[in-house]
Amino acid sequence: MTVKTKQLIIGVLGFAFLGSLIFVQAMEVARRRQEAGLSPHPIAVPAASKSCVECHDKSSPGIIDHWEGSTHAIKGVGCVECHLAQKTDADAFDHYGATIATIVTPKDCGRCHKTETEEFMASHHAKAGNILASLDNFLAETVEGHREPFNPHSPTPGHDVDLVNGMASVNVGCKQCHGSKVALLANDGGLITVDDLKPDDSGRPTNSEALARIKKDDNGAPLLDTSAWPNTGIGRLNLDGSLGSCSACHSRHDFSPRRARQPENCGKCHLGPDHPQKEIYEESKHGVAFRDLKEHMNLDAHDWVLGEDYTQAPTCATCHMSGHSRNGGRVTHDPGERISWSNRPPISIVMDTDAKGAVIKEKDPELRQKLIASTWQEKRQAMKNVCLHCHTPKYVNAFYSQYDDFVVNYNEKFAKPGQKIMDVLHEQELITNAEFDEEIEWTWFYLWHHEGRRARHGASMMAPDYAHWHGMFEVAERFYQELIPQARELVHHAEEAGQTAQAEAVDQVIEDVLARPEHQWYESAKKLVEAGKASLVEPPPAAVAPDAVDSPANATPAATDDAATPAADAAKADTAKADDTADPATEKKADGGTDTPPDA
């Protein structure tokens, strides 16, 4: 072979290699433009869904526009592929030749997304519907409304209202995040749910009698109960026995990964007075960095791996679900895998979980160890592996030391004593078993469910204002200014009513709590006021010349802890009144309101 021939071959190969590089680069640029929405990507409309797309493009174009922007559209997954149903399904109906169901459940998504569905079904997210039997839902169904329709006070001009729907608050509020129990209307005027249908493992109903009672419209489609649908609650109880709604996070019909990766996506549910994770995140340095560097975070990436695709800032998904360079890019659909404390109940507990993912509450060390399938330390290490992409080990360990100390302080100073006081009030029957019929029950609920959760969540997500001013400051105020005085007033009423033994039992618990060193400042101040040695209103300090402020000779002697503490705490004991005259309700809380998903 001559030199010229060799040169020619090398030249051809070189141009071929260069051409391939240019082609690959062009393909990557085109992909990036498509992901960013700067250019259309190819759409594959499957034959089974062709008529659906054509029809809905005219009747509801927003649905088709979203679908065309999805990965489903690229891969040829259309309407029928997701909404496909069997004729034996309870909610199935014929729609222009295709047997479909309106509601797409995790069991449906699991036909293609098996791993993701299994992870989700094992998560606490999927069990969020348990709130339907908890104290929280008693509030919406009874305190805020009524479990039966009731008559209006007067006509509403322009709106004919014969009966008021007392369940309106729970339908629009609680169920929209936690999930509804999907129900079909029955011919006899009742409702048909998963409890009636008794589906088998494949989701097929086994109760033919319930199937026969389903009410249908003129086109043969089963009628869904409007109190349960529309609903994309994360713990929805579906007719096929599955739990949850994938579209709670992956908005239909585009299922955008970009949107799911952003904190606003979680804000529908994780905000507000009792679990303000979104607001806390926005205050934190993490949230500040995200807003500033959002455009550099490669949110459109196919895999979106921390440490490879981005490092600018974490989002909710980054910390709780997304893959990173230290775990091989593995995404999880169980947000609890990296949470080491459960801060949702009145008293925080560590996240040791059993084989089914349930938090272990057993206190005996030996029995507890036998139940543990995943320890809180393992979960913490999983979270630390995320943190270490941006922080040093010393920094991460120091943060967790501060966080643990904060949660333990909340538990030991306020939560456990508060729970102990409420328990003895129930045991001694100084308050009824009905919830929220007495003032102290509202006080306790605010303390742990609102202020206590805000404090703990603020500490867990590095938001100092929520940890302190919106958190522990309000916890302390609620404890000293309301809970203790109200408990003492109940003791006083019991003594007046001749319930001496009961009053003494409760009073002993209160005194034992306040006798501890961490509460001495409060008791000492109260005793000084009672003895006339301190004023409820401290006089303003005398004016001091600026030059003399720092002079030891002119400085005002430091007040002792006893004298300097505002003594108004005990004053409310004379005026606070427990609302124990209300008609007792019959409902009882199922689990202290702790059936909601765990929050970090």
Side-chain angles (χ1 to χ4, degrees):
M1 185 181 293
T2 64
V3 174
K4 272 194 169 185
T5 303
K6 292 180 179 178
Q7 289 174 338
L8 181 61
I9 293 173
I10 292 172
V12 171
L13 291 175
F15 277 112
F17 180 68
L18 179 61
S20 65
L21 289 177
I22 294 172
F23 175 76
V24 170
Q25 179 63 22
M27 292 290 288
E28 180 63 16
V29 169
R31 185 183 70 82
R32 292 281 185 171
R33 287 180 59 81
Q34 290 168 4
E35 287 180 344
L38 300 175
S39 63
H41 56 226
I43 297 172
V45 182
S49 298
K50 188 174 184 295
S51 60
C52 306
V53 172
E54 291 174 349
C55 183
H56 282 281
D57 196 27
K58 298 174 182 177
S59 63
S60 46
I63 291 177
I64 302 304
D65 181 63
H66 276 216
W67 174 77
E68 287 178 344
S70 72
T71 303
H72 280 171
I74 298 174
K75 296 186 175 182
V77 178
C79 315
V80 173
E81 285 69 26
C82 291
H83 287 272
L84 180 68
Q86 300 296 318
K87 290 185 178 181
T88 53
D89 290 342
D91 54 346
F93 63 99
D94 180 81
H95 187 64
Y96 297 101
T99 302
I100 66 167
T102 299
I103 300 177
V104 178
T105 73
K107 195 178 288 288
D108 297 321
C109 299
R111 291 196 294 260
C112 296
H113 303 283
K114 185 175 185 294
T115 300
E116 291 81 358
T117 300
E118 289 175 351
E119 289 175 343
F120 171 76
M121 294 294 283
S123 75
H124 216 85
H125 261 168
K127 301 173 182 64
N130 289 343
I131 192 178
L132 297 175
S134 77
L135 172 63
D136 297 52
N137 225 51
F138 171 76
L139 276 171
E141 294 180 357
T142 303
V143 179
E144 299 168 18
H146 189 57
R147 287 178 175 167
E148 298 293 336
F150 60 92
N151 293 322
H153 284 272
S154 61
T156 300
H159 193 75
D160 188 17
V161 178
D162 293 327
L163 289 174
V164 179
N165 182 358
M167 296 290 283
S169 184
V170 69
N171 293 340
V172 173
C174 310
K175 291 181 181 179
Q176 293 303 322
C177 280
H178 289 271
S180 64
K181 181 177 284 188
V182 177
L184 298 170
L185 298 182
N187 291 320
D188 57 10
L191 297 177
I192 298 171
T193 70
V194 62
D195 300 331
D196 304 296
L197 296 168
K198 297 178 172 47
D200 58 23
D201 292 340
S202 66
R204 304 283 179 265
T206 62
N207 186 348
S208 58
E209 183 274 332
L211 284 172
R213 290 192 294 115
I214 296 174
K215 186 176 182 179
K216 300 181 180 181
D217 66 14
D218 294 338
N219 295 316
L223 293 173
L224 288 158
D225 175 39
T226 57
S227 70
W229 179 262
N231 184 278
T232 56
I234 194 72
R236 192 178 65 202
L237 288 79
N238 300 299
L239 296 170
D240 61 6
S242 64
L243 301 176
S245 167
C246 299
S247 57
C249 300
H250 297 283
S251 306
R252 59 178 192 270
H253 286 85
D254 62 356
F255 309 100
S256 167
R258 177 186 179 90
R259 192 178 309 123
R261 292 163 180 166
Q262 299 184 55
E264 290 80 5
N265 193 56
C266 306
K268 173 192 170 186
C269 300
H270 292 277
L271 81 170
D274 58 332
H275 39 45
Q277 286 96 339
K278 183 175 182 290
E279 297 99 317
I280 287 170
Y281 172 81
E282 289 171 349
E283 177 186 300
S284 74
K285 299 298 287 184
H286 289 162
V288 173
F290 172 75
R291 290 193 297 274
D292 181 43
L293 300 170
K294 177 180 177 180
E295 300 306 317
H296 303 283
M297 288 183 60
N298 205 17
L299 287 161
D300 293 304
H302 181 268
D303 294 318
W304 205 59
V305 175
L306 176 65
E308 296 176 8
D309 295 303
Y310 71 104
T311 55
Q312 287 77 11
T315 69
C316 311
T318 300
C319 295
H320 295 283
M321 303 180 77
S322 298
H324 54 83
S325 65
R326 292 172 177 266
N327 76 343
R330 188 183 77 83
V331 177
T332 176
H333 281 71
D334 180 357
E337 280 190 12
R338 304 171 190 172
I339 296 176
S340 49
W341 279 106
S342 174
N343 290 322
R344 58 188 176 83
I347 301 170
S348 292
I349 54 178
V350 294
M351 287 282 287
D352 289 331
T353 52
D354 62 20
K356 294 183 178 180
V359 181
I360 295 171
K361 298 177 182 179
E362 173 62 54
K363 294 180 180 179
D364 181 87
E366 291 187 13
L367 294 177
R368 183 182 182 87
Q369 197 59 42
K370 293 177 181 178
L371 297 172
I372 294 175
S374 174
T375 68
W376 69 268
Q377 292 95 334
E378 292 169 337
K379 293 179 174 66
R380 174 161 295 183
Q381 188 57 52
M383 183 67 84
K384 283 184 176 183
N385 289 338
V386 179
C387 305
L388 290 170
H389 283 81
C390 298
H391 303 289
T392 64
K394 287 184 178 180
Y395 185 99
V396 174
N397 290 335
F399 159 74
Y400 270 112
S401 177
Q402 292 179 354
Y403 174 39
D404 288 345
D405 288 348
F406 186 96
V407 174
V408 171
N409 178 61
Y410 160 83
N411 273 356
E412 301 302 328
K413 185 168 185 181
F414 298 111
K416 289 181 180 179
Q419 186 69 71
K420 187 178 293 186
I421 290 170
M422 294 303 296
D423 287 346
V424 73
L425 285 169
H426 277 290
E427 290 165 6
Q428 298 302 320
E429 299 183 348
L430 298 193
I431 58 177
T432 69
N433 286 328
E435 297 295 339
F436 297 108
D437 63 329
E438 285 141 333
E439 185 179 11
I440 197 169
E441 292 172 317
W442 293 79
T443 296
W444 172 236
F445 192 71
Y446 268 114
L447 190 154
W448 74 264
H449 190 267
H450 282 41
E451 289 103 3
R453 279 186 177 175
R454 286 201 296 268
R456 291 172 280 172
H457 296 156
S460 73
M461 294 169 60
M462 306 178 77
D465 197 63
Y466 277 90
H468 176 53
W469 289 117
H470 290 299
M472 289 300 286
F473 169 78
E474 294 185 2
V475 168
E477 187 216 16
R478 190 79 64 178
F479 184 84
Y480 290 119
Q481 297 289 331
E482 297 185 38
L483 187 75
I484 295 300
Q486 288 166 12
R488 280 176 163 161
E489 185 174 8
L490 288 168
V491 169
H492 177 66
H493 288 327
E495 290 172 341
E496 289 183 330
Q499 297 174 292
T500 306
Q502 295 95 319
E504 288 179 352
V506 175
D507 187 59
Q508 186 62 54
V509 171
I510 297 172
E511 294 307 314
D512 287 347
V513 166
L514 296 178
R516 292 173 60 89
E518 62 269 26
H519 298 293
Q520 280 298 294
W521 73 272
Y522 174 73
E523 284 296 271
S524 298
K526 181 172 68 68
K527 290 175 182 177
L528 284 172
V529 171
E530 291 171 351
K533 295 181 181 179
S535 172
L536 287 175
V537 180
E538 295 293 334
V544 181
D547 294 340
V549 171
D550 295 327
S551 170
N554 295 304
T556 302
T560 65
D561 287 344
D562 294 345
T565 303
D569 304 344
K572 283 193 177 181
D574 296 328
T575 57
K577 293 183 178 180
D579 184 14
D580 55 1
T581 59
D583 294 334
T586 58
E587 287 77 14
K588 299 180 182 179
K589 65 180 178 181
D591 191 24
T594 62
D595 279 332
T596 50
D599 301 308

